[in-house]
Amino acid sequence: MKKSSVAYFAGLTALLVATSAFARIDFSLNPREGETTLRAGFSSDPFFVIVTAGGYNNASSVRSGCEGFVADAPDYRVRREGVTTLLRFYVTSGEDTTLLISDPSGQWYCSDDSYGTRNPTIDFSNAPEGRYDIWVGTRWQDRSAQAVLSVTEAESNHP
């Protein structure tokens, strides 16, 4: 291989590494799979949507102790109207998934395994009104999986 070809590939590799370093988890981006508004006491409980889990971003970059890898943009967004005693988000999948949520105040929450499964759950007690941005991740970087994101107010609904 010529010296100029080696320099070209080295430069291209550096560019790809630098580009991936700028990837970030960003709740200002439009959600990849859509959004909905759920009012307290919603009748379609549990509400669910199919998402593609996974991405390049380590969830621990927004909160220490979070597991898994997620996309830049949220997978889904829920706008909450009204307050109930419980608002639960959970994921079911054939793969080992994780869950990352930014609540209306900008606080980050994460979960890996719950209820004796490899499926994550995050509960909000007296969940405030507002926007919840949701990322569904996988345990391995750049590995995607089909998953079902469910939202419920019922204590009996979980993975």
Side-chain angles (χ1 to χ4, degrees):
M1 187 178 285
K2 292 183 177 179
K3 190 174 183 179
S4 62
S5 296
V6 171
Y8 171 78
F9 286 113
L12 183 59
T13 301
L15 176 63
L16 290 173
V17 169
T19 302
S20 65
F22 289 110
R24 61 190 155 102
I25 300 168
D26 187 350
F27 59 82
S28 72
L29 297 172
N30 289 329
R32 299 182 324 155
E33 304 290 343
E35 61 184 275
T36 194
T37 298
L38 295 176
R39 292 169 183 79
F42 59 96
S43 62
S44 58
D45 191 346
F47 170 85
F48 66 91
V49 63
I50 297 172
V51 299
T52 301
Y56 291 96
N57 301 297
N58 192 327
S60 68
S61 68
V62 295
R63 182 170 176 196
S64 178
C66 290
E67 301 284 338
F69 293 88
V70 298
D72 296 353
D75 290 298
Y76 204 76
R77 178 173 292 145
V78 171
R79 295 184 188 279
R80 180 71 175 164
E81 293 180 354
V83 177
T84 57
T85 56
L86 173 68
L87 183 63
R88 172 176 289 155
F89 296 86
Y90 64 94
V91 175
T92 53
S93 177
E95 297 292 326
D96 192 358
T97 54
T98 63
L99 186 58
L100 178 67
I101 298 177
S102 173
D103 77 358
S105 68
Q107 296 291 315
W108 291 95
Y109 297 85
C110 57
S111 176
D112 186 8
D113 301 336
S114 65
Y115 292 92
T117 71
R118 296 183 314 165
N119 298 305
T121 301
I122 296 177
D123 289 347
F124 292 92
S125 297
N126 300 313
E129 291 186 311
R131 187 174 102 181
Y132 292 81
D133 290 302
I134 305 142
W135 287 259
V136 180
T138 56
R139 295 285 293 155
W140 300 274
Q141 188 172 29
D142 194 31
R143 181 169 178 180
S144 63
Q146 190 170 35
V148 177
L149 169 67
S150 297
V151 185
T152 186
E153 296 175 332
E155 181 75 33
S156 60
N157 290 337
H158 57 78

